[in-house]
Each structure stands twice: as C-alpha cells, then as structure tokens.
C-alpha cells in the first residue's frame, strides 16, 4: 500500500492508473475506521482495479462548537486496517494542503436536500462535505465512489451534486453496518459512556418498531411518529433533534407511508450526535 499526502503526487498517480486502463474505486473517510468503512472498502476492492482510501478530518464540515478538535484519530490503526482490506493507495493530506491560505471556493447543493434534517442543526455542514468531496474527486478521479447509507442525507446530497455537476463518478450507497446490539457503527460511538450507549439502542429499536407497524399495514405517518417520539423521550439522557418520515429521494416529509418512505432520526447526548435511519417497507 502506498501512502501519499501530496496532492500533485496523488493526482499524477491516479492519472497514470486511469491512463493504463485501471478502474479506480474510492472510499473517502475521516478515519478512525470501523466495520462500516471496511464494508465499503471490501465492496470497492471487488469493483475496482485500484482501491483508494482517503483519510481527512475535514474542518469545513464542522460547525462552531462541534467536535473537530476532539474527533477521534488513530492513523496507525487505520493504516493497518487499510492494508488488511487490500487498499492500494491511501491519501492522507494535511488540512493546509486542502485549504491553503487564500482558499475561497465552495460547492453547495441548495434547497431542501441541504436545509432540512441535518441542515437545520448543522447549517454549514453539507457545504463543507460537498466542497471536500468535489476536491477529493478532482484529486483521485475515481470511476466509483462508495458511501454508507447511515449518512442517508449526505448520500442524497452527494448524489445530487454528482448529477448536477455531471461528474463522471458512479456513486454507490452501501447498507448500514450495526454492532451486535443494533447500534449503527460510527466513529463517534467511542464518545458514548456505557450507560448512554445502552440508551442509544433505542434508535434502532424505534426504527424496527416503525418498520413493523408499516409492514403490518399502518400507513399514517402521524401514528408512527407518535410511537417513535414517546420511545425516544423515555431515555433520560437523549435529546431528540428530529424524528421524521420522508421521501427517500427528495427528503421531503410525507403524510402517508409508501415504498419510498424512510424514517430518519437524530438525537444528541451531551455533545455527541447520533443519527440513524431505515426504510419502512422493504
Ligand atoms: O462521511 C464522511 O466520513 C465524511 O463526511 C466525508 C464523506 C469523508 C467527507 O469528509
């Protein structure tokens, strides 16, 4: 596995791979890898000749007072896991290389896709994500890029951006990977104390109950949201940021459940935000 930090060197390496006819599959991450990331890498390994992983804790997607400085980092561990998964190229740039002095260009998807759900609590978040993903795409020039569905809204925003800007990259969404007890895998799970982690299991159990209601014929969104709200409110340390049922494409809220409905949840526990989602009718 090659580790490259320099942008020009990375571009040259990826251009050479493309010129020699290799298909590049790409998994962008902020590091502190877990099984969720590894599932993307394994799929990327199958789909591409050259598997590229980036590790970059992107400052522009963190709002003021968010956990940029505290965000968990362990490069040596990540490097070993990347080797294990057969990564060919690991891109590990410095923040000053991605955002040098005088940096002034941003890419933003406008409208409900970025202003609802996470966009309400984190108004500058998606602009940071789309900017860095665009930059990473121009550096890595991948044919395929893989993202987890745990960040459902992020995946929708990146898909929109890729379509709107005619970027020649296939965006692949991959299933949520859960711990044995059902908690969706996230680098931020390390922040959770034992007690709070136990309370956080309510996210998955609420999604499961909602899906069960929908599959048993309940189509009234109001009723499912009432059940979800009261389950989440039962946990003393969780503060609900949102519980919504939306159309999976537009992310607009719906009144009636159908095959395109997805339930999205976000809660805060102290400074830790947890998100989760699930389809209601599979
Ligand atoms: O999902 C993430 O880890 C990040 O938002 C991403 C896509 C790597 C951009 O920094």
């Amino acid at each position: 596995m090659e580790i490259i930090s320099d942008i020009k060197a990375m571009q040259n390496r990826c251009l050479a791979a493309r010129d020699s006819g290799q298909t590049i599959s790409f998994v962008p991450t902020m590091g502190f890898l877990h099984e969720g990331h590894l599932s993307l890498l394994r799929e990327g390994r199958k789909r591409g000749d050259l598997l590229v992983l980036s590790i970059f804790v992107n400052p522009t997607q963190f709002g003021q007072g968010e956990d940029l400085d505290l965000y968990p980092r362990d490069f040596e561990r990540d490097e070993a896991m990347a080797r294990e998964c057969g990564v060919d190229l690991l891109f590990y740039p410095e923040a000053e290389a991605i955002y040098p002095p005088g940096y002034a260009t941003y890419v933003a998807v406008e409208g409900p896709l970025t202003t609802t759900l996470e966009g309400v609590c984190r108004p500058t978040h998606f602009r940071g994500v789309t900017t860095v993903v665009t930059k990473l795409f121009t550096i890595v020039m991948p044919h395929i890029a893989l993202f987890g569905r745990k960040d459902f809204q992020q995946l929708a925003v990146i898909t929109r951006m890729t379509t709107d800007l005619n970027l020649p990259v296939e965006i692949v969404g991959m299933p949520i990977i859960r711990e044995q007890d059902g908690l969706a895998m996230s680098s931020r799970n390390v922040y959770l104390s034992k007690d709070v982690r136990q309370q956080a299991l309510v996210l998955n159990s609420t999604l499961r109950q909602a899906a069960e209601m929908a599959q048993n014929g309940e189509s009234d969104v109001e009723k499912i949201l009432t059940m979800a709200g009261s389950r989440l409110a039962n946990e003393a340390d969780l503060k609900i940021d949102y519980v919504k049922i939306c159309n999976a494409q537009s992310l607009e809220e719906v009144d009636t459940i159908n095959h395109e409905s997805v339930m999205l949840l976000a809660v805060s526990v102290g400074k830790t935000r947890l998100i989760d989602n699930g389809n209601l009718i599979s």
Side-chain angles (χ1 to χ4, degrees), residues 87-255:
V87 170
D88 298 304
L89 265 182
L90 169 50
F91 182 49
Y92 185 51
E94 297 284 340
E96 295 71 30
I98 297 289
Y99 301 112
Y103 188 85
T105 304
Y106 292 87
V107 177
V109 171
E110 297 186 348
L113 271 189
T114 54
T115 53
T116 53
L117 303 164
E118 290 297 289
V120 175
C121 319
R122 310 182 72 194
T124 55
H125 172 67
F126 288 116
R127 185 179 89 136
V129 170
T130 41
T131 298
V132 82
V133 169
T134 305
K135 285 185 66 96
L136 291 168
F137 282 179
T138 64
I139 296 166
V140 175
M141 293 166 269
H143 297 84
I144 302 158
L146 300 101
F147 297 86
R149 286 209 192 96
K150 197 198 81 99
D151 294 302
F152 193 88
Q153 188 174 9
Q154 168 173 282
L155 177 59
V157 170
I158 290 171
T159 304
R160 180 80 263 157
M161 173 192 84
T162 306
T163 304
D164 289 353
L165 297 181
N166 308 105
L167 302 178
V169 185
E170 181 192 349
I171 303 296
V172 177
M174 293 288 292
I176 298 176
I177 304 293
R178 297 183 180 278
E179 306 276 1
Q180 270 198 342
D181 59 13
L183 185 67
M185 295 229 178
S186 162
S187 303
R188 289 188 168 98
N189 288 352
V190 288
Y191 298 147
L192 302 173
S193 68
K194 205 169 160 206
D195 175 42
V196 162
R197 195 184 179 294
Q198 190 59 33
Q199 295 184 47
L201 300 182
V202 73
L203 269 72
N204 183 43
S205 60
T206 301
L207 288 169
R208 287 168 60 138
Q209 189 172 343
E212 203 176 297
M213 285 171 77
Q215 272 154 40
N216 286 337
E218 182 57 78
S219 62
D220 185 349
V221 163
E222 202 57 51
K223 288 200 178 128
I224 297 184
L225 290 180
T226 303
M227 173 284 294
S230 64
R231 282 196 70 145
L232 294 169
N234 266 340
E235 302 299 334
D237 298 312
L238 302 195
K239 181 183 144 297
I240 301 174
D241 279 356
Y242 57 79
V243 188
K244 305 245 163 159
I245 297 178
C246 299
N247 175 277
Q249 310 299 323
S250 66
L251 294 188
E252 276 161 359
E253 287 179 59
V254 294
D255 297 326

